[in-house]
Amino acid sequence: MKFTIVTVFPDMIKEISSWGVFGKALSNSNIEMEIVNLRDYTHDRHKTTDDYVYGGGSGMVMKPEPFYEFMDDYSSKNAGYRVVYPSPQGKHFTSEDAHRLAKYDNIVFFCGRYEGIDERVMNLVDEELSIGDFVTSGGELPAMVMVDAIGRYRPGVIGSFESVENDSFYNGMLDHENYTRPDEYRGMKVPEILLSGNHKLIDDERKKNSLFRTIIKRPDLFYKMDLDQENKKTIVKLIKELYSNAE
Ligand code: SAM
């Protein structure tokens, strides 16, 4: 899979993508990262990529020509691609979007700056995605948040896919709580079941914990959950436990 990041700050992307699991995936060639300097698609001495806003007002807007010239070049060399514009006005990016986008061979991100990108560039964009209801100064960090989340769904990026499947949202629930050594710290103990070595009990406890956390922390997710027989049984166990603790 290849991610192509179109930006006026290529060094920023280089720096972020060299770290952690993602950096490793790049060096193992599981994922390819192409960083495109939008200024390479300009023709003036100053390599201008932005200009004043028509109609007046403060700030600058990114010009359409460099994006169109980049796409002329890119589309002649690549197929099966999806163009994403990270934007505060887009649909909220979710785990489902990450999973869906991970099926593409090529994804292009247009990183906006200043007041954003000339509206005519939206004719080149397949989808606008937002990382939340706030405004960042540029599309680079939002793009890299999405690249990281999408990359996790590609085989070979995370050592064991099991850890992706256990992550929050994968099955519509939050992840269970986790502990590491020591088994007691400042009087706080790791739940005994987790030290028991009984995998069936540990598994049941984790499922219960996931469900409980989802109900408490994200009731909106819980309402959307498809409650199969197993989940229903887990809820009954949880209620019984809470009831017996309250007695
Ligand atoms: N004037 C624009 C607006 O209010 O819709 C915001 C422009 S913002 C300063 C510059 C760029 O940052 C945007 O073009 C977009 O690419 C990116 N950006 C800002 N907030 C974002 C968010 N929440 N999610 C995704 N991208 C975002």
Side-chain angles (χ1 to χ4, degrees):
M1 175 180 216
K2 184 172 77 173
F3 293 107
T4 301
I5 316 290
V6 183
T7 171
V8 286
F9 292 116
D11 290 344
M12 194 173 164
I13 304 292
K14 252 181 243 159
E15 188 60 32
I16 302 172
S17 56
S18 61
W19 291 91
V21 176
F22 203 82
K24 216 156 123 197
L26 284 180
S27 58
N28 293 343
S29 315
N30 283 320
I31 282 193
E32 208 185 314
M33 180 77 98
E34 182 185 24
I35 305 170
V36 174
N37 187 343
L38 192 64
R39 295 189 197 284
D40 292 345
Y41 291 90
T42 57
H43 304 287
D44 64 312
R45 202 157 53 92
H46 300 292
K47 297 185 180 292
T48 311
T49 55
D50 56 281
D51 209 334
Y52 295 103
V53 192
Y54 267 129
S58 61
M60 306 295 275
V61 173
M62 296 186 83
K63 291 165 70 58
E65 307 94 308
F67 286 99
Y68 272 90
E69 289 190 26
F70 157 73
M71 274 319 283
D72 288 344
D73 191 16
Y74 180 88
S75 60
S76 68
K77 296 177 192 150
N78 296 275
Y81 54 81
R82 190 98 181 137
V83 180
V84 175
Y85 173 39
S87 154
Q89 300 181 18
K91 174 200 165 291
H92 278 188
F93 177 75
T94 64
S95 171
E96 279 157 24
D97 293 311
H99 207 167
R100 172 178 61 79
L101 289 168
K103 297 187 178 101
Y104 286 90
D105 290 331
N106 296 297
I107 304 184
V108 179
F109 286 91
F110 285 172
C111 301
R113 280 270 151 185
Y114 324 113
E115 290 307 312
I117 303 179
D118 185 291
E119 196 58 29
R120 288 165 289 188
V121 174
M122 295 311 124
N123 290 330
L124 301 173
V125 169
D126 293 306
E127 52 190 302
E128 262 181 75
L129 291 171
S130 165
I131 59 161
D133 286 349
F134 45 82
V135 175
T136 59
S137 313
E140 287 77 9
L141 290 176
M144 289 311 287
V145 165
M146 294 185 218
V147 163
D148 188 303
I150 296 165
R152 293 174 67 81
Y153 284 111
R154 293 293 291 195
V157 170
I158 303 293
S160 127
F161 200 72
E162 201 190 331
S163 66
V164 175
E165 289 171 333
N166 287 335
D167 275 341
S168 294
F169 311 113
Y170 189 86
N171 290 318
M173 280 192 274
L174 300 182
D175 192 6
H176 51 75
E177 54 193 39
N178 288 298
Y179 298 89
T180 185
R181 285 185 289 187
D183 54 13
E184 183 170 348
Y185 181 66
R186 297 193 180 197
M188 295 174 282
K189 290 184 179 162
V190 172
E192 251 168 55
I193 286 184
L194 300 181
L195 309 174
S196 69
N198 183 330
H199 294 294
K200 167 85 180 76
L201 276 184
I202 292 174
D203 206 37
D204 281 355
E205 182 59 24
R206 285 182 166 162
K207 278 191 189 127
K208 237 181 347 173
N209 190 254
S210 260
L211 206 50
F212 185 65
R213 298 191 133 205
T214 310
I215 293 169
I216 299 297
K217 292 188 177 184
R218 291 291 304 271
D220 58 312
L221 289 181
F222 177 68
Y223 289 130
K224 276 193 242 153
M225 268 178 69
D226 181 19
L227 288 179
D228 59 13
Q229 260 329 91
E230 203 189 332
N231 279 331
K232 282 182 186 158
K233 275 192 204 156
T234 311
I235 289 176
V236 172
K237 274 190 217 159
L238 249 176
I239 293 171
K240 279 186 182 160
E241 255 184 47
L242 288 172
Y243 189 68
S244 67
N245 286 343
E247 272 185 344

